[in-house]
Amino acid sequence: MLVWNNKFTLLYFSTVIIAITFLLSGKEVGFFIFNLSTLPILIFGLLYKFKKNPHPLMSLMIVASIFSFSGDFLMLLDIEETLFKTIGICTFIVAQTSYGLLYIHSAQYSEKNFRPSLMKRWPEIIALISLGIYAAIVLEYTNEFFLPGLLYSFFGISTFVLAMNRRFYVSRRSFALVITGAFFFILSASLTGFDLYALNKIRHATAIFFYSGGHFLCSYGILTQIEEIINKEIPVKSIFE
């Protein structure tokens, strides 16, 4: 089986919960160690899957996860915070761009070969407008990080719309997993944008949960698609068609 099994899921989310527990209890060293252990677990899991089946979609997932991990590390540094957080946000932009490319290529592995009409794009249009307005609200709280935050918002929203586009080409299961993960990224980024210096521990913990869940669900959804391709399963018709 190519998708994540129960043991991996338990290991991954146990690390997330332990990291959040250390954060809320004020144990910075424990939080630092376990928070920076989460994505490496995912990366090594993806590398193991890639070794078993070197599908091109996995390469982009690994790249996105590695850049996300780099951003995590930079955002946690408490020296020259403005500089490193700015670099960290830029690193997250690269990660989101990698996810965007992943979703574009993901749609190209379908047996369906058509271009949906504009009338069928109403969910994307609503998402674009709604998230654009929401991003404008969040950006008011970013202060000196306004420009990198603006760039991240652009790429983050674009990536979410590209994730929505997959609904025409993949199975409902794969689509539901990825779009939920992409939405978790939006929630995590917005919570972080309200408090980039992580002064509110509850908000920070919630952002970490959504962020970690986003990575897990997106990778699970893509692995599901790859497994369906291997098994030559035909995607179920989209619920929006």
Side-chain angles (χ1 to χ4, degrees):
M1 186 171 68
L2 195 61
V3 296
W4 302 129
N5 58 34
N6 292 335
K7 290 183 180 179
F8 181 86
T9 302
L10 180 62
L11 172 63
Y12 182 82
F13 281 105
S14 294
T15 307
V16 175
I17 292 171
I18 293 172
I20 290 174
T21 302
F22 276 126
L23 170 64
L24 296 177
S25 61
K27 301 182 187 301
E28 294 185 2
V29 176
F31 166 68
F32 193 89
I33 292 172
F34 279 92
N35 191 46
L36 290 181
S37 299
T38 306
L39 277 186
I41 290 173
L42 187 76
I43 292 168
F44 282 116
L46 289 171
L47 288 171
Y48 176 74
K49 299 290 186 183
F50 185 78
K51 184 178 179 181
K52 291 178 62 178
N53 193 311
H55 195 279
L57 291 178
M58 286 192 202
S59 302
L60 284 168
M61 272 198 296
I62 293 169
V63 170
S65 300
I66 290 174
F67 274 103
S68 293
F69 171 73
S70 301
D72 289 344
F73 177 77
L74 292 167
M75 293 291 283
L76 285 176
L77 294 177
D78 58 2
I79 55 171
E80 297 290 342
E81 284 190 273
T82 301
L83 173 62
F84 284 114
K85 286 186 185 301
T86 300
I87 298 173
I89 294 171
C90 293
T91 306
F92 286 135
I93 291 172
V94 178
Q96 284 298 308
T97 302
S98 298
Y99 269 118
L101 292 172
L102 171 65
Y103 301 149
I104 291 173
H105 288 292
S106 171
Q108 294 174 351
Y109 280 93
S110 171
E111 294 182 4
K112 298 181 179 181
N113 186 22
F114 70 100
R115 292 187 178 182
S117 65
L118 186 61
M119 291 297 294
K120 291 184 178 181
R121 293 289 189 185
W122 61 268
E124 283 92 337
I125 296 172
I126 292 175
L128 195 61
I129 296 172
S130 302
L131 292 176
I133 294 172
Y134 184 57
I137 296 171
V138 176
L139 286 170
E140 293 182 2
Y141 294 84
T142 56
N143 301 316
E144 68 268 34
F145 302 106
F146 177 82
L147 183 56
L150 178 63
L151 290 173
Y152 181 87
S153 297
F154 173 79
F155 284 97
I157 294 171
S158 299
T159 299
F160 183 80
V161 172
L162 289 171
M164 291 188 71
N165 178 65
R166 294 177 68 253
R167 63 194 169 88
F168 294 107
Y169 306 100
V170 302
S171 69
R172 291 182 183 180
R173 177 177 172 80
S174 177
F175 169 74
L177 287 165
V178 169
I179 199 64
T180 304
F183 185 63
F184 277 14
F185 281 138
I186 295 289
L187 293 175
S188 174
S190 61
L191 288 170
T192 303
F194 283 123
D195 185 18
L196 276 161
Y197 287 100
L199 301 177
N200 187 313
K201 289 184 178 180
I202 298 295
R203 183 181 291 162
H204 190 195
T206 306
I208 290 172
F209 178 79
F210 281 128
Y211 175 78
S212 303
H215 278 290
F216 181 86
L217 290 172
C218 286
S219 61
Y220 199 118
I222 296 297
L223 289 173
T224 297
Q225 181 187 1
I226 295 173
E227 189 166 67
E228 290 169 350
I229 292 171
I230 294 171
N231 295 332
K232 295 182 179 179
E233 295 181 4
I234 300 174
V236 181
K237 189 176 181 180
S238 169
I239 59 175
F240 292 106
E241 290 186 59

